[in-house]
């Protein structure tokens, strides 16, 4: 993995039409090109599935901007109505895929076992999974953050390790901070990143963890707090939802990173 430049992932969820997605992509590309030549971050844009191909075409040139998907199915091909495989995503030029987002755990009833299979399917096609972990508010109040993180890690990554070429991103996303307008404090993020690091080291060789796994934060990141997630020990980036939906605001955020 080319480290440790920061990784910014824009998760556009189901918030934009295809037309709006393309307009935003074009505006962002223009804005990023104005930021200068040597950007010290990688940017991943995760549009809605129907816009992947068109956004991918727009992203052909810039070297540090990648195409990401918001989900993947765990099977290779076959009679799975409505699903999209890692192979198809890879064919479209996708490099990253979000897996296990709390909205999918909540609304689509995704289980840790499904998520584990999705992570493995993505890795098989050299997509980098962005595995989302995090506690709910009730779990937080009950002092269960660390236990939840350990449990999700051990279930979502059970029974395999990364091969030499494979990379993984773990996004610590406290469920209650998503879309709330209130990110957690920097010390909170760093503690959680440390817990994730420890959990990973219990499962995988230290070398694999330090070289091939990146840890980022997600949950109400915007231009006022983005710096708290950058180059902070084990924390090197952010998964940004709402604040990535407007070109001007997102460029403002990226300017803090560049
Ligand atoms: P938010 O979303 O930035 O709007 O809180 C983050 C996410 O859900 O990944």
């Amino acid at each position: 993995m080319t480290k440790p430049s920061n990784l910014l992932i824009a998760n556009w969820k189901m918030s934009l039409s295809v037309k709006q997605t393309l307009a935003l992509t074009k505006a962002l590309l223009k804005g990023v090109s104005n930021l200068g030549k040597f950007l010290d971050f990688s940017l991943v844009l995760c549009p809605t599935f129907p816009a992947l191909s068109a956004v991918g075409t727009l992203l052909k040139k810039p070297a540090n901007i990648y195409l990401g998907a918001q989900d993947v199915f765990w099977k290779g091909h076959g009679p799975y109505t409505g699903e999209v495989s890692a192979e198809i995503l890879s064919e479209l030029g996708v490099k990253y895929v979000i897996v296990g987002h709390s909205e999918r755990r909540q609304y689509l009833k995704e289980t840790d076992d499904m998520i584990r299979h999705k992570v493995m399917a993505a890795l098989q096609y050299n997509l980098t999974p962005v595995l989302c972990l995090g506690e709910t508010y009730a779990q937080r109040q009950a002092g269960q953050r660390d236990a939840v993180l350990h449990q999700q890690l051990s279930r979502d990554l059970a029974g395999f390790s990364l091969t030499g070429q494979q990379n993984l991103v773990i996004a610590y996303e406290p469920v209650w901070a998503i879309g709330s307008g209130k990110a957690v404090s920097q010390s909170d993020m760093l503690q959680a990143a440390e817990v994730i690091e420890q959990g990973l080291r219990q499962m995988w060789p230290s070398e694999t963890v330090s070289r091939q796994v990146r840890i980022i934060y997600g949950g109400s990141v915007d231009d006022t707090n983005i710096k708290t997630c950058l180059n902070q020990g084990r924390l090197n980036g952010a998964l940004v939802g709402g604040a990535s939906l407007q070109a001007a605001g997102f460029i403002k955020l990226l300017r803090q990173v560049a």
Side-chain angles (χ1 to χ4, degrees):
M1 179 181 267
T2 43
K3 285 219 291 186
S5 80
N6 290 292
L7 179 68
L8 275 297
I9 303 180
N11 178 10
W12 291 338
K13 309 191 182 187
M14 204 180 70
S15 304
L16 304 170
S17 68
V18 172
K19 208 170 154 191
Q20 289 169 329
T21 301
L22 294 180
L24 175 59
T25 306
K26 286 179 192 161
L28 284 176
L29 289 176
K30 199 159 163 232
V32 169
S33 71
N34 290 337
L35 290 181
K37 216 170 164 195
F38 303 103
L39 296 177
D40 187 28
F41 64 83
S42 298
L43 177 61
V44 181
L45 304 181
C46 303
T48 181
F49 274 136
L52 273 174
S53 184
V55 171
T57 305
L58 293 175
L59 298 188
K60 283 269 151 57
K61 274 204 215 122
N64 59 337
I65 307 185
Y66 303 93
L67 188 61
Q70 297 177 19
D71 184 36
V72 62
F73 191 51
W74 59 82
K75 290 282 190 183
H77 56 88
Y80 304 104
T81 304
E83 293 298 337
V84 180
S85 70
E87 186 175 6
I88 295 172
L89 293 179
S90 164
E91 194 185 350
L92 294 178
V94 169
K95 300 290 180 209
Y96 291 79
V97 59
I98 298 171
V99 179
H101 192 283
S102 58
E103 286 152 12
R104 296 197 61 86
R105 292 181 193 252
Q106 184 185 350
Y107 302 123
L108 282 299
K109 305 289 173 237
E110 281 194 5
T111 64
D112 287 306
D113 198 45
M114 291 175 186
I115 291 163
R116 184 172 75 91
H117 283 96
K118 289 182 176 204
V119 171
M120 289 194 293
L123 290 170
Q124 199 189 338
Y125 283 90
N126 287 323
L127 306 179
T128 298
V130 180
L131 173 63
C132 300
L133 310 174
E135 78 285 1
T136 62
Y137 189 69
Q139 290 166 333
R140 172 92 171 188
Q141 291 300 92
Q144 294 169 346
R145 180 195 67 190
D146 298 0
V148 169
L149 292 176
H150 274 286
Q151 190 181 68
Q152 288 178 333
L153 273 179
S154 63
R155 291 183 177 171
D156 298 347
L157 302 176
F160 66 93
S161 182
L162 300 177
T163 65
Q165 302 305 312
Q166 297 173 333
N167 295 310
L168 174 70
V169 177
I170 305 267
Y172 169 56
E173 293 214 310
V175 178
W176 49 278
I178 294 174
S180 68
K182 252 183 148 249
V184 304
S185 69
Q186 187 178 56
S187 67
D188 223 318
M189 291 174 197
L190 291 175
Q191 274 172 23
E194 191 55 40
V195 171
I196 290 168
E197 173 90 5
Q198 280 167 11
L200 288 167
R201 283 173 191 266
Q202 284 167 14
M203 295 187 293
W204 292 349
S206 307
E207 181 126 324
T208 304
V209 176
S210 55
R211 289 201 176 177
Q212 292 166 253
V213 184
R214 184 193 293 271
I215 303 174
I216 65 175
Y217 167 80
S220 296
V221 172
D222 59 24
D223 61 299
T224 66
N225 58 28
I226 178 67
K227 283 203 165 151
T228 57
C229 333
L230 305 178
N231 287 328
Q232 301 292 336
R234 205 49 181 95
L235 203 59
N236 292 114
L239 180 51
V240 188
S244 67
L245 292 172
Q246 304 275 346
F250 195 41
I251 294 288
K252 206 166 155 203
L253 182 155
L254 294 176
R255 202 168 283 136
Q256 311 278 325
V257 190

